Amino acid sequence: MGAALGVGSLVAGLVTPSSSPFLAVGDTVIRLSPQVLTEFAKTTFGTADKPVLLGGMAVVIALVGAVAGLVSRRRPGPGLTVVAVLGLLGVGAVAAAPTVNAAAFVAPLAALVAGLASFAGLHRVARSANGEAPTDGSGGDSGRGGIGRRAVLVGSMAAVAVASAAAGLGGLLLGGGGADSRRGVTARLAGARVTEQPPAVPAGADFAELGTPGFLTPAQDFYRIDTALQVPDLRAEDWSLRLHGMVDRELSLSFDDLLSRPLVERTITMTCVSNPVGGDLISTAVFTGVDLRELLLEAGVQRGADQIFTTSSDGWTAGTPTDVVLEPGRGALLAVGMNGEALLPEHGFPVRMVVPGLYGFVSATKWLVDMELTTFDRRKGYWLQRGWAQRAPIKTECRIDSPRGFQSVPAGRVTCAGIAWSQPIGISKVEVRMDGGPWRAATLSSSPSGATGGRTWRMWKADFDLAPGSHTVQTRAVDANGVTQTEDRAEPIPDGASGWPATIFTVS
Ligand SMILES: Nc1nc2c(c(=O)[nH]1)N[C@H]1C(S)=C(S)[C@@H](COP(=O)(O)O)O[C@H]1N2
Ligand SMILES: [Mo]
């Protein structure tokens, strides 16, 4: 089993990274899982759900391997059948992947052959170690030399295990050339002319010294959410986007075409619909890219096309309301850069979509390869098929970062701090109360000037003089239109969590 997995991974790394049979099976499990299972996995394991899935699969495969051995104590036939069935599952999973070509079958077939050959080979050695005549009748001096042959068996197994692990690791390390391509894009962005620059981030835009996040999130700390077990390893040079469907002029864009258009930079706070009240699935970056509204106007959106249906290279899909993207000033873009560098592979290299004010699952397609103008009646995006909402504007929310839950702080002046957001219009006020007392306006951090400041989060802080004992701080955000966020508690599913956050802490 190890040999099959290792060879599958190595050959996939050499041919097409997305064809590793082990990961393809994992992807298929994710795709076919019923909603209750995916929600259970996400709420139980959070962002560790992928390692848990892969670990679980490894355990199952090891058990199947043990069974294959046990049913083959005498003849190799039954075990070979078990290995073949598992190998064919790998082939099937690769065939069922959203993007397949003939080359994708090389790795699972190599894995199948490696699995069968290793099993047959080790089986022979094992029977010989037991002093049994090999089934093909060659040699076979029963009885004598059992110890030596056992050593040969252990040695063979160890050799196969080490070679498999090395092959598996090698496959993971072999890239599809994405890293070089990324460096090239970063260099090109450094020299590119940007026609729309975001307002500078003013001093005092965050209260990081009090426990809030920094105003801009470094790309490597940016929250990450996707269904990909293996981050697609794409090259900008191979990338193209088809913009088609209900448009007057179908467009086909290469990466060079995209970079030859006017480039804009926009500072945007992205939020995940799965973020619970108090959660950390929210981050802010300066995105470089091409204005999406302009692109759509150029293609000519036809009447009735209420959905922009986007697909990633790994087959994930999202449906974005066309009217939102076409709002002047909304600022939706096809992003190629993040904080002055090419997108990280995890965040969608080479091209992703970003729409201020919409949760990522209906707008932020990474590894974008296809954009179809259609209707919501005709096509349903990945999470819409799984019980999440069709329309999903980001809800006005806030979070308390300090004090932390059940933290113990010294008596006297206690400073509470946190973040608030209401993309795309922004925050006008954050109110804070202690122990159910009167609401007080918190001090807001300075915000980048101009109308686009509403696309990003805002930090708040407030001081209280507190006596020793247990205390509860609670907050609520007010958007730029004066609307206070709802007190109603809602779970993330189907369209985002809501409610006023509260934190219990101790003054001692
Ligand atoms: N291809 C692809 N794009 C995707 C997703 C995905 O699963 N696959 N998840 C979406 C969701 S739910 C969110 S919240 C954002 C997260 O983007 P990030 O990982 O760059 O923060 O990406 C969106 N784009
Ligand atoms: Mo999300």
Side-chain angles (χ1 to χ4, degrees), residues 223 225-226 271-275 281 316 359-362 383 388:
Y223 84 89
I225 291 289
D226 53 63
T271 313
C272 181
V273 69
S274 296
N275 196 36
L281 301 178
W316 187 83
Y359 287 120
F361 81 110
V362 293
W383 287 114
W388 293 74

Side-chain angles (χ1 to χ4, degrees), residues 50 222-228 232 270-274 281 283 287 311-318 338 346-348 352-353 358-368 382-383:
K50 286 170 199 165
F222 205 93
Y223 84 89
R224 176 189 167 200
I225 291 289
D226 53 63
T227 59
M270 285 184 55
T271 313
C272 181
V273 69
S274 296
L281 301 178
S283 304
F287 290 95
T311 308
S312 66
S313 69
D314 65 332
W316 187 83
T317 54
M338 194 172 177
E346 297 84 340
H347 296 292
R352 78 171 310 169
M353 204 165 120
L358 299 185
Y359 287 120
F361 81 110
V362 293
S363 68
T365 306
K366 306 192 267 193
W367 316 294
L368 176 71
Y382 187 94
W383 287 114

Side-chain angles (χ1 to χ4, degrees), residues 275-279 395-401 418-421 427 429-431 458 460 474-478 485 499-502:
N275 196 36
V277 174
K395 294 180 180 177
T396 302
E397 253 302 340
C398 54
R399 188 180 78 189
I400 302 164
D401 290 329
I419 58 178
W421 61 94
I427 290 292
K429 188 158 73 165
V430 172
E431 294 179 311
R458 197 85 185 262
W460 61 266
Q474 192 170 36
T475 54
R476 61 183 187 189
V478 182
Q485 71 170 99
W500 297 344

